[in-house]
Amino acid sequence: MALRRCLRDPVAEIETAAARLNDAVSAHLRGERDVAEELLHLADDKVVWEWLDSVWGKSSDYNRRRRIMQDPPVLPPDQRARPRQATAEIKRLVHERDGYYCRFCKIPVVRDEVRKAIKGQYPKAVPWEGTTATQHAAFQCMWAQYDHMIPHARGGTSDLGNIYLTCAACNYGRMQYVLEEQDLMHPSLHPPRQGAWDGLERFRRNTPNCVV
């Protein structure tokens, strides 16, 4: 069976939402808060949410598991590698290598800290309360993840060789499966996306008293 690059190809509306988020940050930094707020609202696109839910949803046809011959077992918690999460230094090195794009589906991603900072300035335009279905679609979809290629529960470590930058759909859609169980190509076999997307990091750098 042919290997897939990602669980499902992204829809065009994701790039449109990313462009709106980028323009919103630029407007904010120019002091045009009304423009920024409107663009943040526009980026909360139902079509983006529907794509995300189709990948990570429990009834998804895109994340079905295939049995493989050598199936790594799920380890008891006390036998799993420490630390569980990537350290700050590993995350820094991941961004040096991967930029701010998902290594599977290549969509732009935004770190949690940046989304929280933007919500702090525009609480009505970036809903994050309630269920995932009521949260801001673009920020939910483009939520940066530090994903274990060999899942932590299956014996994976949190070092640079096993951690790649992904979006929420590609991370949560994989769950605790190894790549072979979902016929996925290892992201190291296709180069990272190149582009000007900065993960909206300039918002935090250039917003006075920006506290997360």
Side-chain angles (χ1 to χ4, degrees):
M1 185 176 292
L3 296 179
R4 303 182 288 172
R5 190 188 71 178
C6 60
L7 294 171
R8 183 189 176 190
D9 289 337
V11 293
E13 285 81 358
I14 297 172
E15 293 294 329
T16 301
R20 286 168 172 165
L21 293 179
N22 188 61
D23 289 346
V25 168
S26 295
H28 168 81
L29 296 177
R30 293 194 302 268
E32 299 172 2
R33 292 186 60 90
D34 290 345
V35 174
E37 182 136 10
E38 176 63 20
L39 287 165
L40 290 169
H41 279 296
L42 289 172
D44 189 8
D45 187 340
K46 181 181 179 181
V47 176
V48 173
W49 161 252
E50 289 172 346
W51 176 85
L52 171 61
D53 194 48
S54 78
V55 178
W56 74 1
K58 291 182 179 179
S59 59
S60 172
D61 289 329
Y62 296 100
N63 63 22
R64 297 256 176 108
R65 177 191 182 196
R66 177 175 65 84
R67 295 282 181 182
I68 59 176
M69 293 294 293
Q70 295 183 339
D71 189 359
V74 175
L75 300 177
D78 62 350
Q79 294 182 22
R80 299 175 188 177
R82 295 289 186 271
R84 164 68 179 88
Q85 304 292 342
T87 63
E89 176 63 11
I90 291 296
K91 291 179 181 179
R92 183 186 69 79
L93 293 172
V94 165
H95 285 292
E96 281 189 3
R97 182 191 64 202
D98 300 342
Y100 290 92
Y101 296 102
C102 176
R103 284 299 300 266
F104 284 113
C105 71
K106 312 300 186 185
I107 69 170
V109 298
V110 180
R111 291 191 307 124
D112 186 45
E113 293 88 345
V114 173
R115 187 260 305 159
K116 288 179 179 177
I118 295 174
K119 178 175 174 54
Q121 294 286 320
Y122 299 92
K124 293 182 179 179
V126 186
W128 205 255
E129 297 75 25
T131 67
T132 55
T134 61
Q135 293 169 353
H136 193 284
F139 279 117
Q140 186 71 262
C141 176
M142 298 163 58
W143 187 359
Q145 308 289 313
Y146 304 93
D147 193 0
H148 295 74
M149 295 301 99
I150 301 174
H152 182 256
R154 309 285 286 276
T157 61
S158 298
D159 57 26
L160 184 62
N162 194 46
I163 299 287
Y164 281 76
L165 187 65
T166 68
C167 67
C170 289
N171 181 27
Y172 291 110
R174 282 186 56 226
M175 296 180 280
Q176 295 184 357
Y177 298 157
V178 296
L179 298 175
E180 293 82 359
E181 288 175 297
Q182 293 184 316
D183 298 310
L184 284 169
M185 185 185 307
H186 195 285
S188 65
L189 298 178
H190 44 91
R193 176 177 171 181
Q194 303 296 316
W197 179 259
D198 69 346
L200 310 180
E201 295 286 333
R202 66 191 187 280
F203 185 95
R204 291 186 75 206
R205 290 196 303 268
N206 297 297
T207 299
N209 304 316
C210 183
V211 179
V212 177

